Amino acid sequence: MKTAIIIDDEIAGLKHLSRLLSFCENVDLIATNSVPEEAIDLITKHKPDILFLDIEMPRISGFEILEITRNQGLRPHVIFTTA
């Protein structure tokens, strides 16, 4: 089973993707977050296999979050999401 985290500042998008992932028996959604600044700590703590990452977020973009976590040696599979 693969672990996944969803990071999206839009709550509706976060809930919708979470609901869709509930149908994926081989993916365990371990966390979600809508605050980009908190996302980095969450990703570092849980080290997911898959990261669903919104591109456009306030203050820190999905690309910046990816760069920061990659600099920490984390290499999850990334699926970028956007509205």
Side-chain angles (χ1 to χ4, degrees), residues 5-11 14 18 29-43 51-54 57 59 65:
I5 291 178
I6 303 171
I7 308 299
D8 193 330
D9 65 312
E10 295 184 30
I11 301 301
L14 192 84
S18 296
L29 181 59
I30 56 173
T32 63
N33 197 289
S34 61
V35 180
E37 293 83 357
E38 296 173 2
I40 297 163
D41 291 333
L42 190 65
I43 296 164
L51 179 58
F52 292 87
L53 192 54
D54 188 11
M57 293 185 285
R59 299 172 303 282
I65 290 172

Side-chain angles (χ1 to χ4, degrees), residues 34-76:
S34 61
V35 180
E37 293 83 357
E38 296 173 2
I40 297 163
D41 291 333
L42 190 65
I43 296 164
T44 303
K45 176 181 177 185
H46 292 287
K47 298 174 179 55
D49 299 307
I50 306 166
L51 179 58
F52 292 87
L53 192 54
D54 188 11
I55 295 172
E56 295 284 331
M57 293 185 285
R59 299 172 303 282
I60 302 174
S61 74
F63 293 119
E64 291 170 309
I65 290 172
L66 181 61
E67 181 179 358
I68 291 166
T69 56
R70 292 234 164 152
N71 286 339
Q72 295 175 359
L74 301 174
R75 299 283 189 261

